[in-house]
Amino acid sequence: MAENKTTTEHQYTCDVLIIGAGAAGLSLALKIATHSNVRVLSKGKLSEGSTYYAQGGVAAVFSDDDSTDSHFEDTLVAGAGLCDEDAVRFTVNNAKESMQWLIETGVNFDTEVNDQEETQYHLTREGGHSHRRILHAADATGREIEESLLAAVKKHPRITLMEGFNAIDLITTRKLNLPANRVLGAYVWNRTAERVETVKAHFVTLATGGASKVYQYTSNPDVSSGDGVALAWRSGCRVANMEFNQFHPTCLYHADAKNFLLTEALRGEGALLLRPDGTRFMPDFDERGELAPRDIVARAIDYEMKRLGVDCMYLDISHRPKEFIVKHFPTIYRRCLLLGLDIAHQPMPIVPAAHYTCGGVMIDHHGQTDIDGLYAIGEVTYTGLHGANRLASNSLLECIVYAHACAKDILNRIPFYENRKFATIPDWDDSQVENSDEQVVIQHNWHELRLFMWDYVGIVRTDKRLQRALHRVELLQSEISEYYSNFKVGNNLLELRNLVQVAELIIKSAIQRKESRGLHYNLDYPEQNDDPKPTILNPDKN
C-alpha cells in the first residue's frame, strides 16, 4: 500500500487518484479506502458537482408490485433501441443492493406509513417509468446523497480531499515514450497556489461528470465542462454516443433563476405542460402525455415554442393541494416563491436546457477504459445503459452501481502494486510561457462556442448546421491550441480547452449518425435505421 503523502514540494503519491467528488467518486473512495490510500480531486467546492443539484431521485425496485424485469424494459424503451442489454441488466440487478449501501452510509430517503401501519420508502414515478420506483429525499435527493457521502469521506483516515485542483492532463507511459499505455498519474492545477503539481498513482479513476456546459442553456453547474472525456481522449481512450445530449424539458424560465431545474417528479405527480393560452399540448405528441420520455417532451416544447413564436411554455401543478406541493417539492416551492412565483396557485414558465451527457468514455462492467490502470465511472462514461436517451433517475443509480464494480476490480489488483515504485515523472515545464493579459479572448471564445453549439447542435439538427459547427469548432481549436502553448494555464483556459475538445466529439458523432433516434434528431434523416449501432470514435483513427 502506498503512503498518501507529498514526496516533494509539488508532488503527491497515492494508490488511487479519483478525479471528481460527486456520487460516483465519493462512493468509490469509501469502498476502496479500507485497503488503499486515496486522493479525491475536486476542481471547485466539494459540493459543486451535478450530484448536489440532482432533485428527482434514484430508480430501484423496492415495491412488491414492481420488478427488475420491468425496470429493464422501461430502460430499453427509453433508450430507443440503442441500449446495451447486458449493461442494463447489470445495473438494474444491482440497484437495490447499491441503494441499501447508500442507506447504510447515512442517506435518508423519504418514507411513509402504509395501510398496515408499516413504514416504507415513499416511491415516486417519473417519465418513462411504468411503476413508482424512485427513491428520493423530497426534491433534493442529490444534496442528501452528496452531503451524506462527504460526511463519511471526511471521517476516513485514508482519504485525502484535494479541493480546488483542476486535472490538466493524465500522465501515461505512452506520453513518456515508455512501453504500452498505462496511466501513471496526472498533472493538476492548484487553483489556490496558482501552480501546476503532480499526483503519482497506481490507479486513476475519472468521475468528472458530464459536459452540458458546452451549451448556452443548461441545468448543470459551471463545473460540468467535459474534463474527463477530454482527458481520456487526449490519452488514447475511445468515446461513444457523444451525439446523445439530453435536454431536460423543464428548466425555470426566469431572468434570476440561472436555469433552475424543475424535477421530472413534478410531472410524475400530475403536473401538466401548457401553452401560454392554458391548453395542454403533450397529448398531441405522445399517448403518454407528460410522462413520455424526455427526448419526446423536450422536442414537443421546442416545437410549440417555435410554432407559436413564444419564449417559453408552462408547467402547472397548482391543481394539487398546497400541502402536497410544499411537502414533496419544498426546494422548488421556496425557490419559486423567492422569484415571485407561487406554484400552488400559478403555472411555472419553462424552457428545455442541456442536462445530461448520455455518451462518454467507453468502459466495461468494471469501469476499465482502454488504458491500463485508468477507470471511469458515472456521467463521464459510456456504459450502454442509457442508449439514445436516459431514463429518468437512472443516472445516480449508474454512479453507485459502477462505483461498486470499479472498487472490486481495483481492490483485486492493488496487492500487485504494494511494493512497486512509482515511475519517475518530469515536473511540469512552464519556463517558456508567460501570464496572459488577454483573458477577454477566453471569455469571447467560451461564449461563441456555447452559442453555436446551442444553435447548430441542439435539440433539432441538420447536416448544414452540423458542418457549420464543425468549421467553427476547428477554428476555435486552432486559436486555443496557440493560446495554450504560449500562456500559463488557469481554470478558464483549462475548461475552455476541454469544452472545445468535447464539442468536436459531439459534432463528429452527430455527423456520423444518419438517422433520428432518441436525443439525436436530424431533419435531413427523420427516420430510424433498422440496425442501429453506437457511434464510436477512436483517437488513434479520428
Side-chain angles (χ1 to χ4, degrees):
M1 185 183 297
E3 291 186 57
N4 206 343
K5 65 178 183 178
T6 305
T7 53
T8 68
E9 185 180 359
H10 307 318
Q11 287 199 354
Y12 310 89
T13 63
C14 58
D15 290 311
V16 185
L17 169 64
I18 300 171
I19 303 174
L26 295 180
S27 297
L28 175 63
L30 288 170
K31 292 290 285 188
I32 63 176
T34 303
H35 302 285
S36 61
N37 286 308
V38 183
R39 286 184 179 271
V40 179
L41 206 74
S42 173
K43 69 176 178 180
K45 293 180 180 179
L46 288 166
S47 60
E48 267 303 295
S50 292
T51 294
Y52 185 85
Y53 295 98
Q55 294 177 353
V58 193
V61 175
F62 270 74
S63 168
D64 292 339
D65 298 330
D66 197 3
S67 68
T68 55
D69 285 342
S70 178
H71 190 181
F72 174 81
E73 290 298 333
D74 289 346
T75 302
L76 294 187
V77 171
L82 210 57
C83 293
D84 181 302
E85 293 193 8
D86 289 341
V88 177
R89 184 66 72 185
F90 174 75
T91 304
V92 302
N93 284 351
N94 285 282
K96 188 169 185 178
E97 180 184 350
S98 295
M99 293 308 98
Q100 293 286 13
W101 178 82
L102 276 183
I103 293 164
E104 292 167 5
T105 306
V107 175
N108 291 309
F109 292 116
D110 284 3
T111 59
E112 62 182 357
V113 177
N114 63 21
D115 295 338
Q116 288 74 44
E117 300 299 318
E118 299 168 332
T119 299
Q120 62 186 24
Y121 287 106
H122 179 270
L123 304 174
T124 190
R125 183 182 175 192
E126 296 183 347
H129 289 275
S130 57
H131 293 79
R132 285 181 171 269
R133 65 168 68 101
I134 313 300
L135 289 162
H136 65 101
D139 59 349
T141 308
R143 183 174 66 195
E144 171 66 20
I145 291 174
E146 180 75 11
E147 290 179 347
S148 298
L149 292 175
L150 262 179
V153 163
K154 287 178 178 179
K155 294 176 184 177
H156 205 293
R158 287 182 174 158
I159 302 175
T160 301
L161 293 169
M162 298 177 68
E163 190 174 22
F165 285 80
N166 292 62
I168 301 173
D169 267 320
L170 300 174
I171 304 166
T172 64
T173 51
R174 178 189 289 182
K175 292 180 180 179
L176 298 182
N177 296 316
L178 297 173
N181 195 20
R182 192 182 198 286
V183 72
L184 303 172
Y187 289 116
V188 301
W189 169 249
N190 184 327
R191 296 173 68 168
T192 302
E194 296 189 345
R195 65 178 178 233
V196 178
E197 300 178 347
T198 306
V199 181
K200 298 180 179 181
H202 294 311
F203 301 93
V204 176
T205 299
L206 302 171
T208 53
S212 286
K213 289 299 287 187
V214 76
Y215 287 101
Q216 183 178 18
Y217 301 111
T218 174
S219 65
N220 283 199
D222 289 341
V223 295
S224 300
S225 52
D227 300 338
V229 173
L231 288 167
W233 176 262
R234 289 196 294 265
S235 299
C237 291
R238 293 170 298 159
V239 300
N241 279 14
M242 290 299 295
E243 70 270 37
F244 295 112
N245 305 96
Q246 188 173 77
F247 290 81
H248 197 288
T250 55
C251 283
L252 187 64
Y253 180 71
H254 192 285
D256 298 324
K258 198 180 179 181
N259 297 316
F260 180 66
L261 178 69
L262 298 172
T263 174
E264 189 156 345
L266 282 161
R267 285 179 281 130
E269 295 296 346
L272 302 174
L273 285 163
L274 308 175
R275 300 182 181 96
D277 65 2
T279 59
R280 289 178 68 193
F281 58 88
M282 277 311 302
D284 298 339
F285 292 87
D286 193 283
E287 62 183 9
R288 291 165 288 187
E290 280 76 8
L291 291 179
R294 289 179 177 177
D295 59 322
I296 296 172
V297 178
R299 276 200 304 276
I301 295 170
D302 183 69
Y303 177 85
E304 288 294 306
M305 287 170 56
K306 290 175 178 175
R307 182 179 72 85
L308 297 173
V310 295
D311 294 328
C312 65
M313 292 286 114
Y314 291 86
L315 183 67
D316 188 15
I317 198 170
S318 62
H319 52 279
R320 298 300 302 268
K322 180 178 179 179
E323 293 76 14
F324 175 88
I325 296 170
V326 174
K327 177 182 178 181
H328 289 285
F329 305 105
T331 306
I332 293 172
Y333 181 80
R334 288 194 299 266
R335 181 67 184 274
C336 288
L337 210 57
L338 289 173
L339 296 171
L341 293 168
D342 185 348
I343 68 173
H345 296 98
Q346 63 190 117
M348 298 160 272
I350 56 96
V351 292
H355 182 59
Y356 191 85
T357 309
C358 287
V361 183
M362 293 187 72
I363 61 170
D364 64 13
H365 290 341
H366 303 293
Q368 290 192 69
T369 71
D370 292 333
I371 297 175
D372 186 27
L374 178 65
Y375 294 77
I377 48 177
E379 190 178 353
V380 69
T381 67
Y382 164 79
T383 62
L385 171 65
H386 307 303
N389 183 24
R390 176 178 70 95
L391 181 65
S393 291
N394 269 353
S395 49
L396 286 172
L397 173 62
E398 182 183 43
C399 288
I400 311 304
V401 168
Y402 277 84
H404 291 185
C406 180
K408 290 179 183 178
D409 202 65
I410 291 175
L411 290 174
N412 284 336
R413 299 183 66 190
I414 274 186
F416 298 99
Y417 289 85
E418 282 188 5
N419 300 313
R420 190 172 299 189
K421 292 183 178 180
F422 291 100
T424 300
I425 296 173
D427 288 330
W428 182 266
D429 182 10
D430 59 3
S431 61
Q432 304 301 312
V433 297
E434 57 187 352
N435 288 316
S436 170
D437 58 357
E438 292 290 335
Q439 288 295 320
V440 67
V441 175
I442 295 177
Q443 292 303 317
H444 175 81
N445 287 350
W446 177 284
H447 292 305
E448 180 184 351
L449 170 71
R450 298 180 69 204
L451 181 60
F452 76 66
M453 285 296 291
W454 182 264
D455 288 341
Y456 298 154
V457 201
I459 296 173
V460 177
R461 304 160 179 177
T462 67
D463 280 356
K464 185 176 289 187
R465 292 176 195 172
L466 292 174
Q467 289 299 332
R468 285 175 177 166
L470 183 60
H471 177 65
R472 295 282 186 89
V473 85
E474 287 172 346
L475 290 175
L476 281 182
Q477 280 186 319
S478 177
E479 287 186 21
I480 293 165
S481 178
E482 181 182 0
Y483 199 97
Y484 184 79
S485 300
N486 290 290
F487 298 107
K488 290 185 177 180
V489 300
N491 179 66
N492 291 342
L493 175 58
L494 292 171
E495 288 190 334
L496 178 61
R497 179 183 179 227
N498 290 337
L499 277 174
V500 170
Q501 178 61 77
V502 170
E504 181 195 28
L505 297 174
I506 293 171
I507 296 164
K508 287 186 174 179
S509 296
I511 289 172
Q512 282 194 25
R513 186 163 292 280
K514 305 299 184 183
E515 63 167 349
S516 289
R517 182 179 298 274
L519 301 167
H520 172 77
Y521 193 83
N522 188 328
L523 291 174
D524 294 316
Y525 305 97
E527 304 301 323
Q528 292 189 352
N529 293 336
D530 293 333
D531 186 25
K533 303 290 184 185
T535 304
I536 299 174
L537 300 181
N538 188 328
D540 294 331
K541 296 178 181 179
N542 290 87

